[in-house]
Amino acid sequence: MGLFDKIFEKKICDICGGEIGLLGNRKLEDGNCCKSCAAKLSPFFSDRRSSTVEEIKQQLEYREANKAEVAKFNVTRTIGTDNTKILFDEDARRFVVTSARNLEEANPDVLDYSMVTGCDMDIQDSQTEEKREDKDGNRVSYIPPRYSCEYDFHIKIYVNHPYFDEIEFRLNSSSVQTTPEGGVPASRIPDPRTVYEYREYEDMGNEIISILSDVRQQARTEAAPKAASTCPYCGATTIPDANGCCEFCGGAVNQ
């Protein structure tokens, strides 16, 4: 079989059994996947090529079950912009990260607070020298050189999940400019925190980190085994309930 014969050879999706169109194949470790099935995988999943057909089928079963979790998701708090945001269901102790307006259509992964293992923000800066056009039409430097500065705010959430271990996204939809048009000399580049838009995204990122750090610590505390104590009222050895009270007489137990 020649090279062109292989290119145009019909392939069958090992996931759904459908025929894969030209340039529509998504390789798996031991088979082929059509782009329609691949599009149903989690947007945070990056190991498709090293996954087996069976592993992809299992993930698609999870993704199908996730639709029911999305339908139950009740947004009580939103942090972010039209670019990408975090939606919280504080009553169910769950969250999603998405840029979609229609949650049921997008089917974002619904994550429990207990899955969070960490969160940080990376503020990336870019400094570009601005140039002018001289009388001959050449681009030349200003004297002294002028620079423009812009910033992007990236959030990374680390999670304990079967199909991915981190979620990374940019908070701002477009880079935050902190210098006027045309740039400024290096000695006059302002502290970016003097720019309102910069502070707004920085505060937004810090709020996300604070919330996810708090819920992580709370989940750890709740998961920790409770130590037995002696009730000062009835003398029984008891494991205090959620309110710190004796399971036998209901008295408050000093821990």
Side-chain angles (χ1 to χ4, degrees):
M1 180 180 291
L3 175 61
F4 287 103
D5 291 329
K6 282 191 174 182
I7 293 175
F8 292 101
E9 178 187 9
K10 289 184 178 179
K11 294 182 175 64
I12 300 299
C13 176
D14 292 305
I15 307 301
C16 68
E19 185 176 311
I20 300 175
L22 184 65
L23 304 180
N25 190 30
R26 304 293 184 265
K27 287 292 296 179
L28 304 177
E29 185 178 279
D30 60 350
N32 300 302
C33 175
C34 69
K35 62 181 181 181
S36 177
C37 287
K40 297 175 184 178
L41 297 170
S42 169
F44 309 120
F45 176 68
S46 60
D47 295 329
R48 171 182 52 78
R49 291 185 68 89
S50 59
S51 298
T52 65
V53 170
E54 184 56 34
E55 287 170 338
I56 293 299
K57 287 182 176 179
Q58 289 175 2
Q59 184 180 162
L60 290 178
E61 288 179 4
Y62 146 73
R63 291 286 292 157
E64 187 64 27
N66 188 72
K67 292 180 180 179
E69 303 307 316
V70 171
K72 294 187 297 185
F73 194 86
N74 178 41
V75 180
T76 59
R77 187 174 190 175
T78 301
I79 303 177
T81 65
D82 290 338
N83 187 45
T84 301
K85 48 190 170 290
I86 302 184
L87 309 178
F88 294 92
D89 182 343
E90 295 164 299
D91 297 326
R93 299 173 56 75
R94 290 182 162 192
F95 69 98
V96 300
V97 178
T98 184
S99 59
R101 294 179 181 273
N102 187 324
L103 293 187
E104 293 194 13
E105 184 178 298
N107 191 29
D109 297 280
V110 178
L111 305 173
D112 292 329
Y113 285 177
S114 60
M115 292 180 176
V116 177
T117 60
C119 181
D120 57 43
M121 174 170 56
D122 179 24
I123 304 176
Q124 300 178 2
D125 64 279
S126 175
Q127 190 176 100
T128 305
E129 183 183 354
E130 298 289 346
K131 296 191 175 184
R132 64 181 179 84
E133 191 174 288
D134 67 10
K135 63 181 181 179
D136 298 319
N138 299 315
R139 301 286 295 168
V140 296
S141 297
Y142 287 94
I143 300 175
R146 295 182 183 180
Y147 300 91
S148 61
C149 296
E150 59 184 28
Y151 296 82
D152 292 299
F153 299 77
H154 293 262
I155 297 293
K156 185 176 287 188
I157 305 171
Y158 303 93
V159 296
N160 181 13
H161 191 278
Y163 299 111
F164 49 89
D165 55 19
E166 62 182 45
I167 299 170
E168 185 173 4
F169 63 96
R170 192 174 76 165
L171 268 178
N172 49 308
S173 54
S174 58
S175 296
V176 176
Q177 301 283 340
T178 60
T179 48
E181 187 176 352
V184 295
S187 61
R188 293 177 54 194
I189 293 176
D191 181 341
R193 290 179 177 81
T194 62
V195 177
Y196 172 77
E197 192 177 10
Y198 181 100
R199 296 198 311 274
E200 181 181 33
Y201 283 112
E202 185 180 42
D203 290 345
M204 198 180 296
N206 286 331
E207 184 180 9
I208 291 171
I209 292 171
S210 177
I211 291 173
L212 293 181
S213 296
D214 287 347
V215 300
R216 178 193 179 197
Q217 183 57 44
Q218 187 176 352
R220 281 184 167 186
T221 301
E222 292 175 351
K226 294 182 179 179
S229 302
T230 299
C231 176
Y233 296 96
C234 67
T237 299
T238 178
I239 295 179
D241 61 19
N243 296 316
C245 297
C246 174
E247 60 188 315
F248 300 106
C249 72
V253 178
N254 294 321
Q255 297 187 66

